[in-house]
């Protein structure tokens, strides 16, 4: 089995999000695990799993529905994005390998261009050039200045481009602060993220959330086994105190692997939306019963 966790650039219009989720769920062989939307980020994350052929087809159908319904030129949200189906990562589950995920990413990318005319950039393990391994190096307004890996134009007129990749488990975890000042969240993000000399395998942004009227530290934890998760949270709390504020709440986006939960259960249970159904293996078993 493979897992796919595409991020779509729509988190406010639930009719659109439901249509994309349905396009994926109606693919034979796909097991739709769940999805969630964030209006401030204006972004939705949909998680599904299944045999490689089914997951590839589900990803391509989801990208096509997103290209049909989302006009990126009219998009507003605090999260960086370059496409309607912005990021499409494939993740190996038990019984599959990273090479299986890479092959799936390459097949899906080819189909997304062939069927929908959306150019594709491959990243992480699926990257075809070393400078494209890191997503943030490519996913910016003008891409990375080089042609896409698949397709002959930089972006579709309304759907932009898709970043298609293969990677290990990524945990998305956000911390809301008891302040409205996005500059504080940005300073904390700089302190904890790897690229600024912080914790290994931590990517972080500082944002303002209008719906909550507070600042947020938004994190991607790309290798939970080598990142001290409690240490990251403690560092956020200490930095917040230095800025005369505090960590008010936290949340998980998507699913977490069981091993991550077993290694740092307190970290995950602290999240306001934690439930055991967010543990990936438990959710798959629940749906297969």
């Amino acid at each position: 089995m493979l897992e796919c966790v595409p991020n779509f650039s729509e988190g406010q219009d639930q009719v659109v999000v439901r249509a994309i989720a349905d396009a994926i769920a109606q693919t034979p062989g796909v097991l739709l695990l769940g999805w969630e939307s964030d209006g401030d980020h204006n972004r939705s994350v949909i998680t599904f799993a299944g045999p490689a052929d089914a997951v590839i087809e589900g990803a391509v159908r989801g990208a096509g529905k997103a290209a049909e319904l989302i006009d990126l030129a009219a998009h507003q949200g605090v999260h960086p994005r370059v496409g309607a189906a912005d990021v499409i990562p494939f993740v190996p589950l038990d019984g599959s390998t990273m090479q299986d995920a890479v092959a799936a990413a390459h097949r899906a990318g080819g189909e997304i261009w062939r069927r929908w005319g959306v150019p594709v950039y491959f990243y992480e393990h699926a990257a075809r050039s070393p400078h494209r391994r890191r997503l943030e190096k490519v996913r910016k307004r003008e891409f990375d200045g080089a042609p896409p890996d698949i397709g002959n134009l930089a972006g579709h007129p309304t759907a932009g481009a898709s970043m298609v990749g293969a990677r290990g488990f990524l945990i998305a975890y956000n911390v809301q602060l008891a302040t409205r000042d996005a500059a504080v969240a940005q300073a904390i993000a700089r302190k904890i993220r790897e690229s600024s000399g912080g914790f290994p395998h931590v990517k972080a942004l500082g944002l303002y959330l209008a719906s909550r009227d507070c600042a947020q530290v938004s994190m991607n934890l790309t290798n939970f086994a080598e990142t001290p998760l409690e240490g990251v949270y403690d560092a956020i709390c200490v930095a917040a105190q230095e800025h005369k504020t505090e960590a008010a709440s936290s949340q998980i986006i998507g699913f977490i692997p069981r091993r991550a939960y077993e290694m740092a259960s307190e970290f995950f249970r602290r999240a306001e939306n934690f439930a055991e159904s967010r543990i990936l293996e438990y959710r798959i078993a629940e749906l297969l019963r």
Side-chain angles (χ1 to χ4, degrees):
M1 292 181 71
L2 293 175
E3 179 191 40
C4 189
V5 195
N7 289 218
F8 298 98
S9 295
E10 179 56 68
Q12 298 170 358
D13 188 336
Q14 289 304 297
V15 173
V16 171
V17 178
R18 167 64 78 170
I20 296 170
D22 285 347
I24 294 169
Q26 291 165 8
T27 305
V30 159
L31 192 65
L32 184 68
L33 304 181
W35 77 87
E36 54 201 300
S37 302
D38 186 296
D40 295 299
H41 288 230
N42 202 5
R43 194 171 183 84
S44 294
V45 178
I46 299 177
T47 306
F48 58 100
D53 288 347
V55 171
I56 291 166
E57 181 63 20
V60 174
R61 292 187 186 187
K65 185 58 69 172
E68 174 189 338
L69 298 178
I70 298 172
D71 182 355
L72 204 67
H75 184 280
Q76 292 185 337
V78 297
H79 198 286
R81 71 278 177 186
V82 295
D86 189 51
V87 181
I88 307 175
F90 291 84
V91 182
L93 300 181
D94 288 344
S96 61
T97 67
M98 187 59 72
Q99 282 307 112
D100 294 329
V102 169
H106 289 165
R107 283 177 55 194
E111 285 298 299
I112 288 169
W113 168 253
R114 186 181 70 82
R115 294 192 210 177
W116 319 124
V118 175
V120 170
Y121 295 77
F122 294 119
Y123 74 98
E124 289 264 350
H125 290 274
R128 288 180 170 169
S129 53
H131 73 278
R132 284 190 172 157
R133 284 186 66 91
R134 292 181 67 90
L135 175 64
E136 63 271 24
K137 297 296 185 182
V138 186
R139 190 181 62 190
K140 50 189 178 181
R141 189 171 297 276
E142 300 301 329
F143 305 99
D144 63 356
D149 292 300
I150 300 286
N152 57 15
L153 54 121
H156 183 280
T158 58
S162 288
M163 312 287 119
V164 181
R167 59 163 174 78
F169 287 112
L170 178 151
I171 295 168
Y173 193 95
N174 299 331
V175 177
Q176 283 69 243
L177 304 176
T179 178
R180 300 174 176 175
D181 192 348
V184 171
Q186 291 161 3
I188 295 173
R190 283 194 297 272
K191 185 169 185 177
I192 64 170
R193 67 189 175 214
E194 181 179 33
S195 64
S196 301
F199 291 91
H201 312 294
V202 174
K203 299 180 181 182
L205 296 170
L207 310 165
Y208 170 73
L209 305 183
S211 66
R212 290 180 179 245
D213 193 23
C214 72
Q216 178 190 77
V217 180
S218 178
M219 294 182 289
N220 281 343
L221 310 169
T222 62
N223 188 337
F224 65 85
E226 296 184 11
T227 303
L229 301 183
E230 276 298 311
V232 173
Y233 188 83
D234 289 345
I236 292 172
C237 292
V238 169
Q241 290 174 352
E242 292 171 353
H243 288 276
K244 310 302 181 186
T245 188
E246 62 182 358
S249 64
S250 59
Q251 62 188 169
I252 303 165
I253 307 300
F255 295 86
I256 60 174
R258 180 173 57 197
R259 182 166 170 243
Y261 175 71
E262 291 171 346
M263 292 177 65
S265 60
E266 183 178 349
F267 176 79
F268 294 108
R269 285 191 172 276
R270 184 181 289 113
E272 63 186 13
N273 61 343
F274 173 79
E276 288 198 347
S277 60
R278 283 193 177 272
I279 298 173
L280 179 66
E281 292 86 345
Y282 294 176
R283 179 60 174 159
I284 291 174
E286 176 186 353
L287 292 175
L288 291 177
R289 279 204 294 267

